[in-house]
Amino acid sequence: MIDTSVARSARADGEGGAKPAVECISVQKTFGRLQVLDDVSLTVERGEVVVMIGPSGSGKTTLLRCMNHLERIDSGELWVNGHLIGYRRTVKGLVEESEAEIARQRAEIGFVFQHFNLFPHLTAAQNVTLAPVRVRRMPRAEADANARELLARVGLADKCDTYPRQLSGGQRQRVAIARALAMKPTLMLFDEPTSALDPEMVGEVLEVMRGLAAEGMTMVVVSHEMGFARGVGDRVVMMDAGRIVEMGPPERVLDQPQEERTRTFLSKVLH
């Protein structure tokens, strides 16, 4: 039986009647004949850190991309910050929003990709300033100062004028995090942010993520870093074959999983 209880983070206490950061309601998504998301329902409270685990192809990344409307859902509803993401209600049903409105919604959602996605011809600081200037119309001087502050925040104060090819993988991922934070998001999505890194570089990225969690940032993280899930996550969500198999506090899901599929998966990644 799936544990569908929502564990509120201590960081979310005192929010009163605030709407959840994310609310997925019976979300379905197919690619051709492949059912990638099958009746997925999930609520993420403001200030909560949810870590999604599961085998490759289980639907974790697709669900994350749907939260940012990088993928369109086939049915169900997906709400972010109290608004339908990518759609609006009309008398004829749901209609996809304009590109301008979708861009505005995405501006509130930071997305950190597995492979950085930095512009190679721009310096670290220029990568960070690009979106605030173009999307939020932030004055250049303000964007430059903000970029340098954010790069210092992720431990890269001395790399502002460095190009991505001159950075290590861990440094590039930290630039990507600074770039996402430059838009002042209310929600951060991380798609396996350490999987493309050499083992010795993983820690520096996770440390930045721990700092964000400590500051109360709402985060949904797809990761196989079980130490991070245990130490930082408020909830762990186990996915398989497009469905949520099990979810709950890290200490229960990771140490005392109720579902056989979860036990089988954890036996392979924890040993």
Side-chain angles (χ1 to χ4, degrees):
M1 181 178 179
I2 298 175
D3 177 5
T4 57
S5 63
V6 176
R8 284 181 177 269
S9 163
R11 291 188 296 274
D13 289 346
E15 290 290 337
K19 295 181 182 298
V22 181
E23 193 169 11
C24 305
I25 304 172
S26 300
V27 169
Q28 305 269 357
K29 175 66 181 178
T30 59
F31 292 125
R33 296 182 179 180
L34 179 62
Q35 184 87 41
V36 184
L37 296 176
D38 185 6
D39 195 30
V40 173
S41 293
L42 173 69
T43 299
V44 180
E45 298 293 342
R46 294 177 186 269
E48 191 178 20
V49 178
V50 172
V51 181
M52 295 196 292
I53 65 172
S56 297
S58 61
K60 308 183 301 297
T61 292
T62 299
L63 181 57
L64 211 65
R65 290 174 64 85
C66 288
M67 291 178 186
N68 202 30
H69 202 62
L70 291 173
E71 297 288 353
R72 295 169 173 82
I73 64 175
D74 295 328
S75 64
E77 294 183 356
L78 212 166
W79 298 72
V80 176
N81 295 325
H83 303 283
L84 278 171
I85 183 72
Y87 296 93
R88 68 180 185 275
R89 291 188 186 279
T90 71
V91 293
K92 297 181 180 180
L94 293 181
V95 175
E96 191 166 21
E97 286 283 10
S98 66
E99 286 298 322
E101 177 59 20
I102 291 171
R104 189 197 66 76
Q105 292 178 340
R106 284 186 182 140
E108 299 180 4
I109 307 169
F111 202 121
V112 178
F113 299 87
Q114 180 178 349
H115 293 291
F116 324 130
N117 287 12
L118 298 177
F119 291 104
H121 63 291
L122 300 180
T123 65
Q126 288 169 340
N127 266 282
V128 176
T129 61
L130 187 63
V133 170
R134 289 192 176 182
V135 178
R136 292 204 182 278
R137 305 296 187 215
M138 185 181 291
R140 173 68 65 178
E142 181 182 348
D144 287 342
N146 189 48
R148 292 182 181 278
E149 179 182 328
L150 286 170
L151 287 168
R153 181 177 173 185
V154 299
L156 296 173
D158 60 336
K159 302 296 183 182
C160 292
D161 300 319
T162 304
Y163 289 90
R165 65 178 179 275
Q166 300 169 306
L167 300 172
S168 69
Q171 290 171 332
R172 277 179 278 173
Q173 194 61 292
R174 284 185 281 159
V175 172
I177 293 172
R179 178 182 60 183
L181 292 174
M183 294 296 285
K184 303 186 185 304
T186 59
L187 169 67
M188 286 286 286
L189 308 177
F190 293 85
D191 185 16
E192 300 196 35
T194 61
S195 64
L197 304 180
D198 292 333
E200 63 268 24
M201 298 176 184
V202 169
E204 61 193 41
V205 173
L206 292 180
E207 188 59 33
V208 172
M209 294 171 64
R210 289 188 186 96
L212 291 177
E215 294 169 8
M217 176 64 74
T218 308
M219 298 162 59
V220 182
V221 183
V222 172
S223 180
H224 292 300
E225 298 291 338
M226 298 302 159
F228 176 85
R230 186 187 303 277
V232 181
D234 295 302
R235 262 187 307 156
V236 171
V237 175
M238 168 69 189
M239 292 192 67
D240 185 51
R243 298 183 66 90
I244 294 177
V245 176
E246 184 169 0
M247 61 180 164
E251 59 272 15
R252 187 187 64 68
V253 175
L254 299 180
D255 297 334
Q256 298 177 323
Q258 298 177 356
E259 301 297 321
E260 180 59 33
R261 184 66 187 94
T262 310
R263 289 192 288 271
T264 300
F265 173 76
L266 291 175
S267 71
K268 296 177 180 178
V269 298
L270 292 178
H271 302 289

